[in-house]
């Protein structure tokens, strides 16, 4: 029993270090910063990795027995290692497919788009810089609204029949720099938010101050469509610099 427990604990330690490496990949590359909250990356990763880290050592504890023939024990432990590797690989694949690839300004809001939400058939029609989905964190983009009759009809049909909105379609993606004036025009002043939601006042002002914005009059905001209800705060140049989860009325 003591040998079995020691083997299981050693396996647990090795699994922990592998899990730490996987966490670095997920949280610093695929889901950087607050995108782990926007896309539910933390909960998804912890669920998958915790099951994987526990299952391996438990199986090792179950099969480890020095009384077995050496060849049989080797095969048993090899099976456990392969099983754990496959489950971890599959779990990371799920996390990878759900990773955020773009934050898109769409009409009057921002929207976080995951890889599995993109209409991938249109990637060849995207601008050159966006033909391949990013591997090292999401892009900040704008969605160009169709103005030609055929494009408008196509956009409506795609949304109604296939469930793909403009922000999910690469053919409409453009650099966000082209949309900063429109984003500012669509945004609302923070003072209005503070007046309507006084209970959030201190939290919002503290968050703004932490980013160097002591004067809230130079800041505006737009809704952010992600997991939960969020607000994206824009500086005077129209770039989002702060995101706060928010359940109040705007």
């Amino acid at each position: 029993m003591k040998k079995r427990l020691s083997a299981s604990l050693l396996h647990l330690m090795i699994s922990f270090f592998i899990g730490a490496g996987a966490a670095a990949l997920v949280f610093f590359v695929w889901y950087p910063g607050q995108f782990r909250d926007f896309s539910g990356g933390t909960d998804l990763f912890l669920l998958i990795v915790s099951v994987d880290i526990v299952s391996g050592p438990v199986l090792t504890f179950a099969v480890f027995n020095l009384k077995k023939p050496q060849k049989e024990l080797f095969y048993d432990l090899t099976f456990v290692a392969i099983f754990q590797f496959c489950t971890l690989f599959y779990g990371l694949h799920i996390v990878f497919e759900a990773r955020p690839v773009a934050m898109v300004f769409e009409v009057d809001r921002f929207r976080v788009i995951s890889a599995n939400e993109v209409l991938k058939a249109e990637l060849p029609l995207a601008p050159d810089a966006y033909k391949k989905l990013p591997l090292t964190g999401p892009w900040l983009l704008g969605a160009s609204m169709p103005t030609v009759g055929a494009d408008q009809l196509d956009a409506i049909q795609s949304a109604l029949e296939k469930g793909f909105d403009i922000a999910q379609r690469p053919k409409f993606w453009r650099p966000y720099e082209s949309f900063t004036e429109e984003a500012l025009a669509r945004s609302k002043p923070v003072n209005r938010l503070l007046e309507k939601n006084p209970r959030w006042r201190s939290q919002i002002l503290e968050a703004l101050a932490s980013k160097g914005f002591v004067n809230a009059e130079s800041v505006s905001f737009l809704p952010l469509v992600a997991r939960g209800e969020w607000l994206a705060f824009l500086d005077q140049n129209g770039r989002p610099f702060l995101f706060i989860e928010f359940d109040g009325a705007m």
Side-chain angles (χ1 to χ4, degrees), residues 151-164:
D151 282 345
Q152 288 179 327
L153 180 60
D154 173 61
I156 294 172
Q157 289 178 334
S158 179
L160 295 178
E161 298 175 5
K162 301 178 182 178
F164 288 101

Side-chain angles (χ1 to χ4, degrees), residues 24-130:
L25 173 65
V26 171
F27 295 130
F28 292 100
V29 181
W30 295 344
Y31 293 75
Q34 285 185 278
F35 283 95
R36 67 193 63 169
D37 301 318
F38 299 155
S39 303
T42 300
D43 294 340
L44 181 59
F45 175 80
L46 290 179
L47 174 63
I48 291 171
V49 172
S50 60
V51 171
D52 184 74
I53 288 178
V54 171
S55 64
V58 168
L59 288 174
T60 295
F61 183 82
V63 304
F64 190 85
N65 188 345
L66 291 177
K67 295 181 180 180
K68 288 182 179 181
Q70 189 173 2
K71 189 174 182 180
E72 180 182 348
L73 181 59
F74 173 78
Y75 283 145
D76 287 345
L77 294 178
T78 300
F79 170 79
V80 171
I82 293 174
F83 171 79
Q84 189 176 15
F85 173 79
C86 289
T87 54
L88 178 61
F89 180 82
Y90 178 71
L92 287 178
H93 175 71
I94 294 175
V95 175
F96 178 76
E97 287 298 316
R99 77 192 188 281
V101 294
M103 177 182 289
V104 185
F105 172 70
E106 182 185 42
V107 185
D108 58 357
R109 61 184 180 175
F110 288 95
R111 183 170 177 177
V112 176
I113 305 297
S114 300
N116 54 15
E117 295 177 322
V118 174
L119 182 56
K120 294 183 176 64
E122 286 190 356
L123 283 172
L125 304 177
D128 290 341
Y130 311 128

Side-chain angles (χ1 to χ4, degrees), residues 212-229:
F213 288 82
V214 179
N215 183 7
E217 293 181 0
S218 62
V219 179
S220 57
F221 72 95
L222 283 171
L224 171 64
V225 179
R227 187 185 183 192
E229 299 181 47

Side-chain angles (χ1 to χ4, degrees), residues 168-184:
Q168 298 168 275
R169 302 184 59 184
K171 67 181 290 185
F172 296 110
W173 289 350
R174 301 292 184 271
Y176 178 69
E177 286 71 22
S178 305
F179 295 85
T180 53
E181 292 185 6
E182 183 179 351
L184 282 173

